[in-house]
Amino acid sequence: MNGSVTSSNRLPILQTQIVEMHKAVGRFEREAASAAIGAGKMLIDAKGLCGHGEWLPWLKALGIHERTARRYMTLAASNLKSDTVSDLGGITPALRFLRLRTMAERQMKEAGDAAVQDRLEDADVALEVAIMLMGEMIALFRAAKA
């Protein structure tokens, strides 16, 4: 009986700690997204200031891998807000969302160009691909919300 009293007293303490940790995760996700976007903006500026052939050595001296820099710069250039990045599930899913968005936009342009040139079959195919890509974008949001 004494063990169950201790367990029942511990449950409210765990509940409070879990809620605090859960809130911290959300806060840290938004902070990480905000930091990545901020770093990306500064990296875009820095790349413009680096002379030809200086960019990669400069990044290496900072200890930042080129791929990481590109990811941060892509986020910064996308104009996504840190809350949106967080809502998508973080930096990696947000970058996937941006790739899908770019591909869908390209397909929509191809569909429009084909329609103008009266190539309706090509337009239909491009439109179907665009719709499929948009479905994947929606699925990313749904997965992040689950």
Side-chain angles (χ1 to χ4, degrees), residues 64-115:
I64 298 174
H65 193 277
E66 178 190 9
R67 183 168 186 251
T68 301
R70 274 189 279 123
R71 292 165 53 110
Y72 293 164
M73 292 163 66
T74 297
L75 278 177
S78 74
N79 292 319
L80 289 180
K81 304 291 184 221
S82 58
D83 284 343
T84 305
V85 173
S86 180
D87 289 345
L88 282 164
I91 294 167
T92 300
L95 289 167
R96 175 160 169 65
F97 173 84
L98 292 171
R99 281 191 302 275
L100 290 169
R101 183 176 74 180
T102 300
M103 291 166 43
E105 289 168 349
R106 193 174 302 131
Q107 288 297 313
M108 292 296 288
K109 183 183 180 326
E110 284 183 28
D113 292 347

Side-chain angles (χ1 to χ4, degrees), residues 3-20:
S4 67
V5 171
T6 306
S7 296
S8 66
N9 289 341
R10 180 145 167 72
L11 190 57
I13 295 168
L14 287 172
Q15 180 179 345
T16 301
Q17 291 172 338
I18 291 166
V19 169
E20 287 174 15

Side-chain angles (χ1 to χ4, degrees), residues 3-63:
S4 67
V5 171
T6 306
S7 296
S8 66
N9 289 341
R10 180 145 167 72
L11 190 57
I13 295 168
L14 287 172
Q15 180 179 345
T16 301
Q17 291 172 338
I18 291 166
V19 169
E20 287 174 15
M21 293 294 179
H22 176 67
K23 288 178 182 177
V25 168
R27 189 173 59 250
F28 293 145
E29 283 178 348
R30 284 186 301 280
E31 287 176 15
S34 182
I37 291 167
K41 289 176 181 178
M42 289 184 266
L43 285 163
I44 290 169
D45 287 344
K47 187 172 184 179
L49 297 172
C50 282
H52 181 72
E54 295 177 12
W55 175 243
L56 294 179
W58 187 80
L59 280 178
K60 188 174 183 176
L62 291 179

